[in-house]
Each structure stands twice: as structure tokens, then as C-alpha cells.
Amino acid sequence: MGNRSGVSRSLAAILASLAIVVAGCGQEPLAAIPAPAESSTTSATAAAPPPPALAPPAPDDDLIGSFSALAETIEGSVGVAVSNGAQTWTFGVETTGPAWSTIKVPLAIAAQRSLGDTVQALATRAIEQSDNAAAEELWAMLDGGAAAAAAVETVLRETGDPTTKVQSDRVRPSFTPFGQTDWSNEMQAKFAARLPCVAGAAPAVELMRNVSGGQQWRRADQADAAVKGGWGPDVDGMYSVRQIALLGDAAGAVGVALIARPGDGSFDSGVAVVSQLAEWVASNRARFAPMPC
């Protein structure tokens, strides 16, 4: 759950160029902490069906070469996915990991669908400030455990994610159960790309356009960027930093997912690396064709 108000707009700026600032769940410890560490019921309204799946396109040689050149300059391991909802391009060796606070976006959508405006204040804190306590309240209001996990999974399925299993149990004592969900870059990028097409997602997307400075890692000032960051220590104490971003709207959108595991294991280094990844995406954004709902 990431309440990190001092972090420069890394990813966002990255996304800035690319209008991509991606997520958010900085899975900080459950207690409100200034430092990083991360920490529905189902929708009655069916979302527009995902676009037909297309064979994943192979990145062209120029993209592969430019990403490889960037990765060689980074101390640590990284991964990037860019999707238009039907096609997804992936780069790097890091392909999945704990969702951390990025999972707060589908959690907020599930809660708002089920409980309406009564959860608006909690959803705002959960996404804009990445507040773990607020997200835990939303989870509890969805009856927690398996019921809440099923509600969040319903949102994911509507974005074309057939496999992600939302963690329903608290597998690490100091962290939220949902933040420990294993959520791949590929599915995160597809989720972000499909957000404009999901019933009831508009309030959460608007909150993603107004995240706090601690998540605006180089956030772009462009109006079409909506992001959420997430971060936290793995079991070995080394931080992983993630971010998801929606670039565009229902007329044409691209989703981005970034993950960094810096060599020194620190949060600050992770943010710096995510920013580099975002800049790379921004500089190549024109190569990834957006798709409408």
C-alpha cells in the first residue's frame, strides 16, 4: 500500500511522456507508515466483453534492441508490458510478482459497484493516498476473505484476465491479503487498457488521475494518464516497485505495467528504475496502437 509522499513523479512522468503513470499498491505494512512497504462483491452490471484475443505480436527488432540496451544500464531486473486490450507486448525478465497496492484499483471498483457512494471516501484514500487501512475497510465491507476475493476477481475477469487468483488469506502477517496477489505484468497491462470499458470503473479511474505525490513517479501532465503505484519488501527484504497506467480513454486506450527489482533492494532505487522504464515506454508510445472499447 503505498503512502509515500516524498517520491518524485517517477513513473508518472515517465508516463508523462508517455502519459503513463502506473500503481499502486505499494504494499506497505498495514500500519500507516511514511516509508514504503505495502501494505469485492461482484458487479451486478456486466461490463462490455473484452475484445477478441489476437496472437501476441512480436516486438520489432528496434524495440527489442532499445529495451535491451536500457536493461543493460540498470542495476537489477525489470519487466514491462504494454497492451491495447487485445494485443500485449512484453519486455524484460520480470514478468510477475505481488500486486502490492496496484490491486486497490479493482478492489475499489468492486466495492463501489456493491456499495455505491457510501465507500467513496474510502476509495479515495485507498487509491489517491494508497492508504492500507482504507483498503482493508473496503475489503471487510465486501465480507473479506473468499467473498471479497471473488468480487475483485470478477472485475479482473471483465478485463480479459482468465487466470489471476486474488489472495484471500493473510499469508504475510504485516501485509494485506489482497496485496500479496500474484498479478502478472501482462494481465496488469491488459487490465489498465480495458478500464474505460469496464462498468462502474469511471470513479476509480478519476481517482487514478489524482494520485498523491508519493505515487506520481514522474507523472505526465497529460490529461489521459491515470496511474497507481505499488511497492513493498519481498520475503528476502528486497523491495519490488510496480506501477500500472492507463493512457487514453474509451475512444482508444493503452495500458502499461512496470516492475523493478533494484540490485540494492531499496525503495528509492526501485522508483528511479521504474521511472526509467516509464520514460522508455513514453519514447516508444507511438509504436503501441490504442484500441477503443
Side-chain angles (χ1 to χ4, degrees), residues 3-72:
N3 264 52
R4 177 87 175 183
S5 54
V7 182
S8 67
R9 311 191 155 192
S10 312
L11 167 74
I14 301 179
L15 303 188
S17 316
L18 114 107
I20 153 184
V21 165
V22 263
C25 179
Q27 183 104 21
E28 311 105 32
L30 293 180
I33 53 178
E38 178 206 12
S39 4
S40 301
T41 67
T42 73
S43 156
T45 306
L54 302 179
D60 62 44
D61 290 343
D62 287 345
L63 278 175
I64 293 173
S66 66
F67 185 84
S68 296
L70 170 63
E72 288 176 2

Side-chain angles (χ1 to χ4, degrees), residues 83-154:
S83 179
N84 60 16
Q87 297 175 303
T88 303
W89 297 260
T90 60
F91 306 86
V93 298
E94 292 292 342
T95 59
T96 194
W100 297 121
S101 289
T102 59
I103 199 72
K104 290 172 184 171
V105 176
L107 170 58
I109 294 171
Q112 289 176 312
R113 283 176 166 183
S114 176
L115 303 163
D117 291 342
T118 61
V119 300
Q120 183 60 36
L122 290 173
T124 298
R125 285 164 48 201
I127 294 179
E128 290 188 358
Q129 283 87 49
S130 203
D131 186 296
N132 290 332
E136 287 267 48
E137 286 191 58
L138 293 175
W139 183 256
M141 292 171 78
L142 290 171
D143 296 328
V152 179
E153 283 178 17
T154 294

Side-chain angles (χ1 to χ4, degrees), residues 264-283:
D264 66 4
S266 73
F267 171 70
D268 288 344
S269 293
V271 168
V273 171
V274 162
S275 296
Q276 289 180 272
L277 299 178
E279 290 171 356
W280 180 82
V281 176
S283 65

Side-chain angles (χ1 to χ4, degrees), residues 165-198:
K165 177 73 173 173
V166 175
Q167 178 57 251
S168 59
D169 299 320
R170 196 179 299 281
V171 294
R172 295 179 66 185
S174 298
F175 301 93
T176 64
F178 43 88
Q180 292 301 299
T181 297
D182 186 61
W183 198 5
S184 73
N185 271 2
E186 178 181 2
M187 291 302 144
Q188 281 197 330
K190 181 178 287 189
F191 167 79
R194 292 290 297 166
L195 274 176
C197 315
V198 173

